Amino acid sequence: MSRWNGIAAGAAVFSDGSTERFGPTDQRFELASITKLYTAMAALVAHEEGTIDLDTDVGDGFNPADVLAHSAGIAPDERSRMAAPRTRRIYSTAAYDLLADMIAQRAAMPFAAYANEAVAQPLGMSSITLTGSAGAGAFGSVDDLLALIDAWRRPLLIDQRTLSRAITPHLGDLDGVLPGFGNRTPNPWGLGPEIRGDKDPHWTAPANDPRTYGHFGRAGTMLWIDPVADIALVALSDQPFGPWAATAWPILSSAVLSSSR
């Protein structure tokens, strides 16, 4: 698997519990939008701790669940209204920063410190750092993300009900743009992870179940979990997202699915 263009390190987790690693899995890479899975898990912990409530309106017609699922109507890179809440899936990094600031204010500590205490330390993510945007500013390794995958597969940090909700489409009929792939109708999203659904083309494999969830980033990073095949894959790259990724990632994903054990 290390031959795939653009992939510097990665790992596949199979249904029998075995893990196949390739490349320097302890090396730190820019995670780009995979950061949102880290931030979202911290937000879910904050919900269970009572710091925020996923379903309480924050005063502008949307709630934290809408922010996590990109249905708040906030513009991609600015904290401004682009559409009415819950009418369209608008992928927004700015909305994640808004939610992170809310958590920081209510927890009376910087969000990076909160996420470290709520997620990184309990999972043993020893090298991850969040130095910029809560939606795209983390750096970490494959080894870090294997620990995060574990928390997105089973209730390690949050209750099973909260986890199940997070990996289920939120307002699943909304359409919107999947970055890099164009408009999708519908464009299902959970509370953090994108849900594959019937999107075609897509960055996962055609054989991935529609319930597959995960994220990819413009730094050339991707992570998915297929709950039906019970397989997960993460790949971090030193090559920014581009046409190579739209071609290579589905092929890599197909190879991992076909080699399941």
Side-chain angles (χ1 to χ4, degrees), residues 148-258:
L148 186 61
I149 283 172
D150 205 15
W152 277 105
R153 295 179 82 190
R154 57 195 182 102
L156 293 179
L157 301 179
I158 54 177
D159 184 80
Q160 181 61 58
R161 290 174 296 179
T162 303
L163 178 58
S164 296
R165 178 182 179 183
I167 62 175
T168 299
H170 176 75
L171 303 174
D173 292 335
L174 292 185
D175 66 356
V177 173
L178 176 63
F181 292 88
N183 194 68
R184 292 293 178 267
T185 306
N187 187 14
W189 219 283
L191 304 187
E194 181 205 345
I195 311 295
R196 189 192 194 287
D198 296 321
K199 299 167 193 172
D200 182 30
H202 195 255
W203 54 276
T204 63
N208 274 108
D209 189 86
R211 285 165 284 187
T212 297
Y213 56 98
H215 223 294
F216 77 91
R218 59 180 170 78
T221 58
M222 65 93 137
L223 182 163
W224 57 252
I225 299 166
D226 187 326
V228 176
D230 196 20
I231 297 173
L233 174 66
V234 56
L236 304 184
S237 174
D238 55 4
Q239 184 170 322
F241 174 84
W244 71 267
T247 299
W249 287 347
I251 295 173
L252 174 61
S253 298
S254 296
V256 168
L257 287 170
S258 65

Side-chain angles (χ1 to χ4, degrees), residues 99-134:
L99 181 59
D101 287 350
M102 181 188 306
I103 294 171
Q105 181 179 21
R106 295 183 179 183
M109 62 192 305
F111 179 75
Y114 184 89
N116 183 60
E117 290 188 12
V119 181
Q121 289 184 14
L123 294 178
M125 300 171 70
S126 60
S127 66
I128 193 166
T129 57
L130 179 58
T131 58
S133 167

Side-chain angles (χ1 to χ4, degrees), residues 26-168:
D26 60 348
Q27 180 176 324
R28 296 172 73 249
F29 293 88
E30 180 184 358
L31 300 184
S33 285
I34 288 182
T35 302
K36 292 181 175 68
L37 295 180
Y38 179 60
T39 292
M41 183 56 69
L44 296 174
V45 172
H47 165 72
E48 292 201 343
E49 290 182 344
T51 303
I52 61 169
D53 184 89
L54 291 174
D55 301 306
T56 297
D57 194 305
V58 297
D60 202 17
F62 60 85
N63 57 40
D66 292 318
V67 171
L68 293 172
H70 303 287
S71 58
I74 299 174
D77 300 309
E78 298 179 358
R79 299 185 186 189
S80 61
R81 175 64 58 79
M82 189 171 175
R86 302 172 191 149
T87 60
R88 183 170 177 80
R89 193 85 62 198
I90 300 175
Y91 182 80
S92 176
T93 295
Y96 269 65
D97 289 327
L98 180 67
L99 181 59
D101 287 350
M102 181 188 306
I103 294 171
Q105 181 179 21
R106 295 183 179 183
M109 62 192 305
F111 179 75
Y114 184 89
N116 183 60
E117 290 188 12
V119 181
Q121 289 184 14
L123 294 178
M125 300 171 70
S126 60
S127 66
I128 193 166
T129 57
L130 179 58
T131 58
S133 167
F139 288 77
S141 66
V142 168
D143 292 337
D144 288 325
L145 294 180
L146 284 172
L148 186 61
I149 283 172
D150 205 15
W152 277 105
R153 295 179 82 190
R154 57 195 182 102
L156 293 179
L157 301 179
I158 54 177
D159 184 80
Q160 181 61 58
R161 290 174 296 179
T162 303
L163 178 58
S164 296
R165 178 182 179 183
I167 62 175
T168 299

